[in-house]
Amino acid sequence: NAGVTQTPKFRILKIGQSMTLQCTQDMNHNYMYWYRQDPGMGLKLIYYSVGAGITDKGEVPNGYNVSRSTTEDFPLRLELAAPSQTSVYFCASSYPLGPPGTGELFFGEGSRLTVL
Amino acid sequence: GESVGLHLPTLSVQEGDNSIINCAYSNSASDYFIWYKQESGKGPQFIIDIRSNMDKRQGQRVTVLLNKTVKHLSLQIAATQPGDSAVYFCAEIGGATNKLIFGTGTLLAVQP
């Protein structure tokens, strides 16, 4: 199993450009998440999905959009990129959280985005 | 609103000593807590979890303690090793949501 795969690993955008961060998982997890992590900070939840066709906002959804057409894929779209969106973006997947399962999220390696 | 925070942003310990990383949470409805470890340049990795109906849980070299009265969570690492150097995050799931909310993180630096 490859686990959670994110592409691209690095990207530089100009202000106002748009792009999509790709995320795919091969563990048949229903739950998928997008987090952003600013330097020296914790992870902030952008969007999450509990299954194909279902998405919901996290803590910091403004400026982003997501879709979940399949169980495997959960792309994150940035529209009109701004310098404040410079960050490392992590995609993750899991089984349903909490008892009787665990709180284990499986993370990708991250996508480092710089907006200039 | 919901928030999870840490008392110490940086913790420096000697190799072989025990480490204690603390975390405060504010959401009384949170019923599930998790500790994650993040090494430089990598995504977070699950360490250990604890349910709100427990006050202690042990793993391999790690123990998590939960004090619901004062909304405090701690992670104890026994015989700290250089490989334990990383940022440690506590995280919580609140009530009926499926959102895992992370705290700010503590950098653990292990001195040889």
Side-chain angles (χ1 to χ4, degrees), chain A residues 35 37 48 102-103 105 107, chain B residues 32 36 38 44 93 98-100:
Chain A
Y35 287 89
Q37 185 175 33
Y48 68 104
T102 75
L105 270 62
F107 283 85
Chain B
Y32 192 60
Y36 277 82
Q38 186 178 28
I93 299 172
N98 295 296
K99 296 189 288 190
L100 186 63

Side-chain angles (χ1 to χ4, degrees), chain B residues 13-25:
Chain B
V13 299
Q14 292 294 122
E15 181 178 357
D17 287 351
N18 295 335
S19 302
I20 300 177
I21 301 170
N22 295 303
C23 176
Y25 65 94

Side-chain angles (χ1 to χ4, degrees), chain B residues 14-90:
Chain B
Q14 292 294 122
E15 181 178 357
D17 287 351
N18 295 335
S19 302
I20 300 177
I21 301 170
N22 295 303
C23 176
Y25 65 94
S26 61
N27 186 358
S28 300
S30 293
D31 52 11
Y32 192 60
F33 304 89
I34 309 98
W35 281 100
Y36 277 82
K37 173 186 180 182
Q38 186 178 28
E39 297 176 341
S40 181
K42 297 184 178 180
Q45 289 183 295
F46 174 91
I47 302 174
I48 191 168
D49 56 1
I50 189 167
R51 305 176 188 183
S52 60
N53 62 354
M54 304 170 68
D55 54 20
K56 181 179 180 180
R57 190 169 186 210
Q58 288 185 294
Q60 187 175 12
R61 280 201 309 120
V62 295
T63 300
V64 55
L65 299 178
L66 175 63
N67 185 331
K68 294 180 289 295
T69 301
V70 296
K71 298 178 189 172
H72 184 266
L73 192 68
S74 68
L75 177 70
Q76 300 178 2
I77 304 174
T80 311
Q81 303 168 0
D84 294 327
S85 294
V87 177
Y88 290 80
F89 296 96
C90 63

